[in-house]
Every structure is written in structure tokens, then in C-alpha cells.
Amino acid sequence: AALDRQIATWEAMVPVLAENSDPNLVRLIWYGLQPCVTAYPGEAGRLAVAARPRLLRQFIARRLAEDMSSNPAAGAALFASLGQSTEPVLLLDLLAGANRGLAGLSAVAAPEGATARLRELMGSSFPTVRHAATLLAATLGGSSAIVALRRDLSDSAVPEDTRRAALERLAALRPAGLIDDLLALLRSGQLLDAALRALPAFDDPRVAKAIIAVFPSLPRALHGTAIEALVSRADSARAL
């Protein structure tokens, strides 16, 4: 009953918050709202669309994504909210929150309707929306999204922050062929720090050989990262 009254209060309050509300006020509101997101995911998804402060949208989407594995209604609410708008900034906030909620997970089952909606968003004319949708689709097992992320990772013309985000998501998912992409980055001298951190996850003799081969040309600041990568496995440590 208490949560019933709370969600009714938030449904009245959230839509009238100004877009430029004090971030600390938004965090305080979120502190009170978050139990209702888990208890009332459908209402929370609608609030995410109605909210004007971007931070609050992201917080709600993140919690819905975090609850997806244990509560199918949370996933349904998240993708219902993604289907209620074509406004790029709102979509980007919802996608960003969802991606943060699922960060580091190796695989999550896609809720009903998610694949079709993400396919639409991956075709967006807005690069930031397109990339955020691709990251989310990859986490939900989309093979075409994984191919797209690998393509971005290997393309030096793609902005570096986009490539780094692709690498981070791919490192969590570890799709077939990723080790070849990482070794290619190492040989080309691109995204060296991120590649060196991702390579130790692979039990492959090529890793140690590749790191030792490039070690003399690495910036001094990356020597420690390279050594840590080598000593993370007994076989590669012996190569030292």
C-alpha cells in the first residue's frame, strides 16, 4: 500500500520536473523512486519517457535493465519505453541507461519485441543512437550487432570513443574472432591500452608472442600493462 501511494506521487511529480533540474535534486528523487521501479516496472517505463531531466531517464532505464534477468516485466517495460519515442535525445538516454545496467554481462536473453525495436534503432540516422542500440543489441545476443561492433573496432576512421566502447562490450561477450581483432590492434599500434587489458582473457599462445614482439615499441606508460598481461597466465609468464 505504501508503494502504491509512492508511485502515484511520482507519477504526478516526475513529469513536471524541469529539464535543467539541480542534479542533486534529481538524485534525491531517484533515491525515493527506485523501489517503485522494481515493484512497478510498467509505470516506471512510462515515467522514463515522461521525465525531462536526462539523468532521471538514465537512472530508470538502468534499473529496468538491471532487473531484466530476474523480472521479465522490467525488460518489457524498458523496450515499451524505447518504442514510445523517436526523439533522439530521449532514445539516447534510455539506451545509455540500459547499457550501463547490463555492463560487464556476457549475455542476457532478449525480451519480447526487443530484437525488432533494436533493429530499427540500429538503422537510425543519428550515429550516437545507432551505436548505443548496437551495444545493447550485442549484449542481447544479436549476431548482426556483434559483427557491426567488430567492424567499428577495426576501422581507424571510426571515432576513438566509439571504438573503445565497442571493444569493452566485445571483451565481455568474447565472440569468435575477437582475438584476431585484438592482435591486429596490437600490431597496428591502435587502442593499445585497451587491447592489452583484453588479451589476457584468451588462452592462446599467440598472445604472449604478440605482446613480446611489440614491447620494445610500446610507450613507456604501457610497459606495466603489457607485463601484467604476460604474467596473468603461467604459459605467457614463462615467456618473460
Side-chain angles (χ1 to χ4, degrees), residues 90-103:
L90 171 57
L91 289 171
L92 185 59
D93 288 339
L94 297 175
L95 290 166
N99 278 316
R100 278 197 288 273
L102 299 177

Side-chain angles (χ1 to χ4, degrees), residues 9-33:
T9 300
W10 297 126
E11 286 177 318
M13 179 184 295
V14 166
V16 300
L17 288 172
E19 181 179 355
N20 61 348
S21 295
D22 184 332
N24 289 324
L25 174 61
V26 173
R27 293 184 180 97
L28 183 62
I29 290 170
W30 171 241
Y31 180 78
L33 173 60

